[in-house]
């Protein structure tokens, strides 16, 4: 398995533009997580899905953020409109067995909003 | 509610010296415990995990961790640190019926030559 695949690896966009981050989890994993990491706030859980259904989105900072998981092999995190304070590294992770074997993280998307 | 505390924000050790990173957790029952490592520019990578059995668990890259129920701790150790071990280390806990992990704030390890 190629692991959790995120795209793009880097994204630079202008304030106000829409940004879409993509994630392909490991086949067979039924949990998918979106995290944001910054120097100031560390690693933050934004939202997670179980069997493609959003379970907890309490970490989504505001309505500008939305996430979808249309099928077991694909998820998106969208920011519209983007703001400079959204600049961060966004990670996707997946797991199975209720996380009892640990998570597999993607390499992340470094987002810069100018 | 479960929680994880990593008391040390930053640790510096000399190459070849031993290492211990501390982790304390709070959970009502025996949790699933993990250590992850994040090298610069990379995602988190699972080092090792514990749920039951031998309280000393071995992981990748020569790391080990010891579960101490009486102290609610799960400290990470390595006998001899290499320069390539410089990274950020995260402790995490998952409850028995949960899918969501709770992560500590991380400890940054610097290795002096």
């Amino acid at each position: 398995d190629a692991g959790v695949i995120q795209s793009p690896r880097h994204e630079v966009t202008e304030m106000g533009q829409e940004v879409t981050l993509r994630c392909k989890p490991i086949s067979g994993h039924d949990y998918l997580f979106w995290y944001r990491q910054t120097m100031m706030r560390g690693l933050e859980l934004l939202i997670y899905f179980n069997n493609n259904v959003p379970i907890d989105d309490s970490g989504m900072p505001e309505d500008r953020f939305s996430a979808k998981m249309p099928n077991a092999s694909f998820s998106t995190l969208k920011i519209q409109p983007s703001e400079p304070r959204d600049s961060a590294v966004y990670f996707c992770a997946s797991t199975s067995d209720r996380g009892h074997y640990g998570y597999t993280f993607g390499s992340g998307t470094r987002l810069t909003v100018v | 509610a479960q929680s994880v505390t990593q008391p040390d924000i930053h640790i510096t050790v000399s190459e070849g010296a031993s290492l211990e990173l501390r982790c304390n957790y709070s959970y009502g029952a025996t949790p699933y415990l993990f250590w992850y490592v994040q090298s610069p520019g990379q995602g988190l990578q699972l080092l090792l995990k514990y749920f039951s059995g031998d309280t000393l668990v071995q992981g990748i890259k020569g790391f080990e961790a010891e579960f101490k129920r009486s102290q609610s701790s799960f400290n990470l150790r390595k006998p001899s640190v290499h320069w390539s071990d410089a990274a950020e280390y995260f402790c995490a806990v998952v409850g028995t019926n949960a899918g969501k992990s709770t992560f500590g704030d991380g400890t940054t390890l610097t290795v002096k030559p």
Side-chain angles (χ1 to χ4, degrees):
Chain A
D1 201 317
V4 175
I5 300 173
Q6 292 188 246
S7 64
R9 284 299 309 273
H10 301 274
E11 177 81 37
V12 179
T13 190
E14 292 185 347
M15 182 174 61
Q17 296 298 304
E18 177 180 295
V19 175
T20 299
L21 312 182
R22 297 172 176 80
C23 175
K24 177 179 169 55
I26 288 178
S27 177
H29 281 189
D30 57 348
Y31 283 87
L32 183 140
F33 304 82
W34 282 101
Y35 285 88
R36 178 173 69 177
Q37 187 177 41
T38 62
M39 290 291 291
M40 290 297 294
R41 293 189 298 270
L43 193 65
E44 301 173 278
L45 176 64
L46 299 178
I47 184 171
Y48 78 98
F49 297 82
N50 179 218
N51 291 320
N52 313 337
V53 176
I55 302 301
D56 183 354
D57 66 353
S58 59
M60 296 286 261
E62 47 198 277
D63 292 345
R64 297 184 298 106
F65 286 69
S66 63
K68 294 182 179 179
M69 192 165 186
N71 57 61
S73 59
F74 184 65
S75 178
T76 59
L77 178 68
K78 186 176 294 186
I79 308 173
Q80 166 63 19
S82 58
E83 297 183 2
R85 59 192 168 122
D86 302 330
S87 297
V89 180
Y90 291 81
F91 288 104
C92 176
S94 71
T95 191
S96 60
D97 296 304
R98 291 170 291 173
H100 294 166
Y101 293 96
Y103 291 3
T104 302
F105 281 78
S107 297
T109 295
R110 180 173 295 277
L111 174 65
T112 303
V113 183
V114 298
Chain B
Q2 58 201 35
S3 66
V4 176
T5 302
Q6 293 181 245
D8 304 305
I9 296 173
H10 195 174
I11 282 184
T12 299
V13 299
S14 298
E15 190 167 17
S18 63
L19 170 71
E20 182 168 28
L21 302 183
R22 296 183 293 164
C23 173
N24 293 99
Y25 69 91
S26 173
Y27 183 67
T30 301
Y32 290 77
L33 294 161
F34 308 87
W35 276 99
Y36 293 83
V37 60
Q38 184 181 28
S39 299
Q42 302 296 316
L44 281 69
Q45 179 185 19
L46 182 66
L47 277 177
L48 47 78
K49 59 183 179 287
Y50 171 81
F51 174 63
S52 64
D54 192 344
T55 56
L56 184 64
V57 293
Q58 305 296 321
I60 62 172
K61 303 178 187 281
F63 285 91
E64 65 181 26
E66 186 171 14
F67 171 67
K68 293 185 177 180
R69 183 189 303 276
S70 61
Q71 298 177 18
S72 297
S73 69
F74 187 57
N75 294 349
L76 182 71
R77 301 196 295 246
K78 187 169 185 178
S80 177
V81 170
H82 188 261
W83 64 265
S84 60
D85 294 324
E88 188 161 18
Y89 292 81
F90 293 89
C91 183
V93 61
V94 172
T96 306
N97 293 314
K100 184 175 75 168
S101 282
T102 298
F103 284 83
D105 291 332
T107 298
T108 300
L109 173 65
T110 298
V111 180
K112 292 191 303 184

